[in-house]
Amino acid sequence: MKLHEYQAKQVFADAGVPTPASTLATTVDEAVDAAEEIGYPVAIKAQVQVGGRGKAGGIKLAENADEAREYADDILGMDLKGLHVDRVLVEEAVDFVNELYVGVTMDRGEGKPVAMVSTRGGVNIEEVAEEEPEAIAREHIDPAFGMHHYQARKVVYDAGVDREVANDVAGVLKTLYDLWEDKDGSDAEINPLMVTADDEVIAADAVMNVDDDALFRHPDLEAMEDEADGGDELEQKADEYGFDYVRLSGNVGIIGNGAGLVMTTLDLVDHFGGEPANFLDVGGGAKAQRIANALDMVFSDDNVDSVVFNIFGGITRGDEVAKGINQALEQFDEIPKPVVVRLAGTNATEGMEILNEDLVTVEQTLEDAVERAVIYAEEVEA
Ligand code: GDP
Ligand code: MN
């Protein structure tokens, strides 16, 4: 789960990280009232879970009520990288002399968490990470011991942070690490951590992503879930249906049972020159309703041009799946996107005989099925 900026800031502030005064607003009037209350200048910030809101026009600084009204009106309702903005955070604007980056994430290569600090924070940190990785100081942490104070200070000094603020920055980093660990975080990040002329540090942005499978241990975070996942309709739907789903950027919709099988299908789509639109694992026992739900997912994704079903029957029987696919598709007056099916394993032959070929294309092998789906998708694009 990705927390919104305002939620992550709340979590960080509760742990003692300095954050600017702020109020969440859902209407222009609320935003203006909040700005009046906080005092100008204020930053008006779109609350959607994408990086780079600043560059995309989702963050504006207002000097007075007229500007607050104008900018809140611009930002509320805007489409920011495909996400609808329905909330803004109105925040005391920080007058800064420096923007730092501090973050904690899992370094899978090392198999350890890594703490990162850079004096090159702000909106260009992705480019810095890409082009000058040495401008980001790193320190691996042994999860058995947690972050020692000396490690926090070391990485802050390695990054070249000014002495005047180094201690405070190290304190913020240590708090961030402890939160990351306590809350089962996957990423925790403050970018920018602003440094003011009088050497105060203050978190002007906040990112906190937590492991969904650990949410049951954190009722406080679980309570934030509804609002947090408001971003992507399809991911919300997947949650309701109980699917493992990840939206991707291509146009070939993929449905399979079993994570490994679905990943293999993604690879094959790529192999045949297509681009996967999603990862969707319907899990075991794919009965008609589950299949119908899976189809509803891929059909309601505007990016999807064709669909490939890759089902391996183990305990899930091929004839059951075939009935499910037929029943699901019979609900449509018109099949909105071409569907290709490959069945293997238990009762696959029976399954293929049952499948209604007026509704789907049946292929005998996985390669043929994927290639067919890629061709269908190309035809739609052409
Ligand atoms: P992101 O682009 O989605 O990461 O959003 P951020 O919250 O990091 O904001 C992007 C940029 O907007 C920052 O790097 C700042 O340069 C600017 N910004 C954000 N909040 C403030 C603020 O309170 N005061 C000032 N002066 N600039 C801000
Ligand atoms: Mn940021």
Side-chain angles (χ1 to χ4, degrees):
M1 170 175 79
K2 295 178 182 177
L3 299 186
H4 279 293
E5 175 190 5
Y6 71 88
Q7 296 174 318
K9 271 188 173 144
Q10 188 61 54
V11 173
F12 292 179
D14 289 348
V17 174
T19 52
S22 65
T23 306
L24 190 68
T26 53
T27 65
V28 174
D29 285 334
E30 275 174 28
V32 177
D33 287 349
E36 293 285 313
E37 177 87 32
I38 290 167
Y40 299 96
V42 291
I44 298 186
K45 312 180 76 178
Q47 298 299 291
V48 285
Q49 288 118 327
V50 288
R53 292 165 304 161
K55 282 187 177 172
I59 295 175
K60 288 187 173 157
L61 288 182
E63 301 286 345
N64 53 52
D66 287 341
E67 285 184 3
R69 182 166 296 281
E70 184 188 333
Y71 298 152
D73 192 48
D74 289 346
I75 296 173
L76 280 166
M78 84 184 282
D79 178 286
L80 201 78
K81 299 184 174 180
L83 297 178
H84 180 80
V85 180
D86 59 8
R87 278 164 285 182
V88 290
L89 190 65
V90 181
E91 185 172 85
E92 176 192 1
V94 180
D95 193 9
F96 63 91
V97 291
N98 242 322
E99 292 185 298
L100 308 178
Y101 168 91
V102 300
V104 177
T105 191
M106 182 58 81
D107 181 340
R108 289 174 197 281
E110 288 286 321
K112 281 183 183 168
V114 60
M116 295 169 287
V117 177
S118 177
T119 55
R120 307 271 300 276
V123 294
N124 293 320
I125 193 71
E126 276 84 14
E127 278 126 69
V128 172
E130 186 80 15
E131 288 157 22
E132 290 170 75
E134 66 283 358
I136 301 173
R138 290 158 216 263
E139 180 78 11
H140 286 97
I141 309 299
D142 186 330
F145 295 105
M147 180 186 273
H148 296 293
H149 282 285
Y150 80 85
Q151 289 179 301
R153 284 194 298 272
K154 177 174 183 294
V155 61
V156 166
Y157 279 103
D158 284 350
V161 172
D162 290 340
R163 284 178 167 278
E164 291 72 24
V165 294
N167 244 337
D168 286 350
V169 177
V172 168
L173 180 62
K174 169 96 170 89
T175 305
L176 198 65
Y177 180 86
D178 292 344
L179 273 175
W180 179 88
E181 185 183 292
D182 289 349
K183 304 283 184 194
D184 292 294
S186 50
D187 311 281
E189 191 180 279
I190 300 173
N191 181 40
L193 179 64
M194 288 178 169
V195 180
T196 66
D198 36 2
D199 295 331
E200 304 274 339
V201 296
I202 184 158
D205 190 11
V207 171
M208 178 88 177
N209 300 338
V210 296
D211 184 344
D212 288 310
D213 294 323
L215 270 183
F216 72 96
R217 296 205 281 216
H218 308 288
D220 53 332
L221 297 180
E222 219 168 13
M224 297 180 170
E225 193 177 12
D226 285 348
E227 288 181 30
D229 283 343
D232 190 306
E233 260 173 57
L234 278 175
E235 296 198 346
Q236 229 173 346
K237 229 179 203 179
D239 262 358
E240 285 162 24
Y241 290 150
F243 292 146
D244 281 327
Y245 173 85
V246 181
R247 188 205 271 278
L248 301 167
S249 57
N251 63 345
V252 180
I254 294 170
I255 303 172
N257 61 336
L261 197 68
V262 177
M263 295 219 272
T264 306
T265 318
L266 294 178
D267 285 349
L268 273 174
V269 166
D270 179 75
H271 173 77
F272 285 111
E275 277 186 65
N278 65 273
F279 172 103
L280 200 177
D281 175 8
V282 294
K287 288 265 157 54
Q289 191 53 51
R290 256 184 114 65
I291 302 279
N293 292 346
L295 279 169
D296 177 42
M297 293 272 317
V298 286
F299 284 166
S300 55
D301 181 346
D302 291 337
N303 295 329
V304 169
D305 289 327
S306 70
V307 178
V308 56
F309 255 100
N310 184 13
I311 302 286
F312 182 82
I315 296 169
T316 308
R317 283 163 35 203
D319 51 330
E320 278 295 330
V321 173
K323 273 185 218 152
I325 294 175
N326 283 348
Q327 281 173 24
L329 287 172
E330 279 155 12
Q331 295 168 13
F332 292 92
D333 293 332
E334 200 185 330
I335 312 295
K337 326 203 172 179
V339 178
V340 185
V341 182
R342 176 264 187 169
L343 291 177
T346 312
N347 290 9
T349 323
E350 291 84 342
M352 285 194 274
E353 278 162 17
I354 291 170
L355 281 169
N356 181 347
E357 297 205 44
D358 293 336
L359 304 177
V360 297
T361 306
V362 179
E363 292 287 357
Q364 301 297 323
T365 70
L366 177 54
E367 287 85 348
D368 288 349
V370 170
E371 192 172 15
R372 172 66 54 201
V374 169
I375 291 169
Y376 283 155
E378 280 166 359
E379 282 170 4
V380 173
E381 285 295 298

